[in-house]
Amino acid sequence: MKLLARIHVTLKPAVNDPQGLAIAGGLHQLGFSGVEGVRAGRYLEVCLEATDRGAAERAVTEMCQRLLVNPVIERYRFELAEPAEVDR
Amino acid sequence: MKLLARIHVTLKPAVNDPQGLAIAGGLHQLGFSGVEGVRAGRYLEVCLEATDRGAAERAVTEMCQRLLVNPVIERYRFELAEPAEVDR
């Protein structure tokens, strides 16, 4: 079966986020005074073929641990979507 | 009221994505032969203070249009979460 994994990779809360600080500064300069903080992360969509949903979950978890995520400073979460739910 | 905007910025489907291709290549080299494609995007969490949900939606839309998104090659979507739903 074909599945789409939507993976969110974010910095752990205690980790300094210069990109997020820069974006927050830019938003303040543009007049968005209500902005209290910005955290920047990555978003990946992985289209994969797997025998079942469980196999896909294990594969995506292993992809995150072996390549996609730096476990020292980042954490991740993902959901799997069926092709019918995939709008692009 | 305090709200968290979870913003996804992705490349438009027709736009070449060298970062996604590189990730897909890396996953193939690691043995994940079921991977059929990867698209790389950005994920931003903006914590903001707004008078109501409608005002927050308008503000985040304007942030995306004025700073966060390159409308030539990217598109965006976002959802707003109440502080109670915010798990970090």
Side-chain angles (χ1 to χ4, degrees):
Chain A
M1 67 191 298
K2 202 184 290 285
L3 289 164
L4 182 77
R6 297 191 169 110
I7 306 169
H8 292 79
V9 183
T10 50
L11 287 169
K12 290 181 181 174
V15 176
N16 190 33
D17 179 6
Q19 191 187 354
L21 292 174
I23 293 170
L27 290 172
H28 287 152
Q29 284 199 321
L30 286 174
F32 295 104
S33 54
V35 171
E36 297 185 349
V38 178
R39 298 289 285 176
R42 287 178 290 125
Y43 172 65
L44 300 168
E45 291 183 337
V46 177
C47 184
L48 75 161
E49 180 69 38
T51 52
D52 57 48
R53 191 171 269 267
E57 270 180 27
R58 287 189 296 277
V60 174
T61 301
E62 199 185 333
M63 289 177 207
C64 289
Q65 291 171 348
R66 290 184 62 193
L67 185 72
L68 304 178
V69 178
N70 176 353
V72 178
I73 58 169
E74 294 174 325
R75 59 183 180 183
Y76 67 94
R77 67 178 192 276
F78 66 87
E79 63 257 22
L80 293 172
E82 308 272 343
E85 305 165 35
V86 178
D87 58 348
R88 56 165 158 266
Chain B
M1 66 191 299
K2 201 184 291 284
L3 288 164
L4 182 78
R6 297 190 168 111
I7 306 170
H8 292 79
V9 183
T10 51
L11 287 169
K12 290 181 181 175
V15 176
N16 190 34
D17 179 8
Q19 191 187 354
L21 292 173
I23 294 169
L27 290 172
H28 287 152
Q29 284 198 322
L30 286 174
F32 296 104
S33 54
V35 171
E36 298 184 349
V38 178
R39 299 288 285 177
R42 287 177 288 126
Y43 172 65
L44 300 168
E45 291 183 337
V46 177
C47 185
L48 73 162
E49 180 70 37
T51 50
D52 56 49
R53 190 172 270 267
E57 270 179 29
R58 287 191 296 278
V60 174
T61 300
E62 198 185 335
M63 288 176 206
C64 288
Q65 291 171 349
R66 290 183 63 192
L67 185 72
L68 304 178
V69 178
N70 176 352
V72 177
I73 58 168
E74 294 174 325
R75 58 184 180 182
Y76 66 94
R77 66 177 193 277
F78 66 87
E79 62 257 23
L80 293 172
E82 308 271 344
E85 305 164 36
V86 179
D87 58 349
R88 58 166 158 263

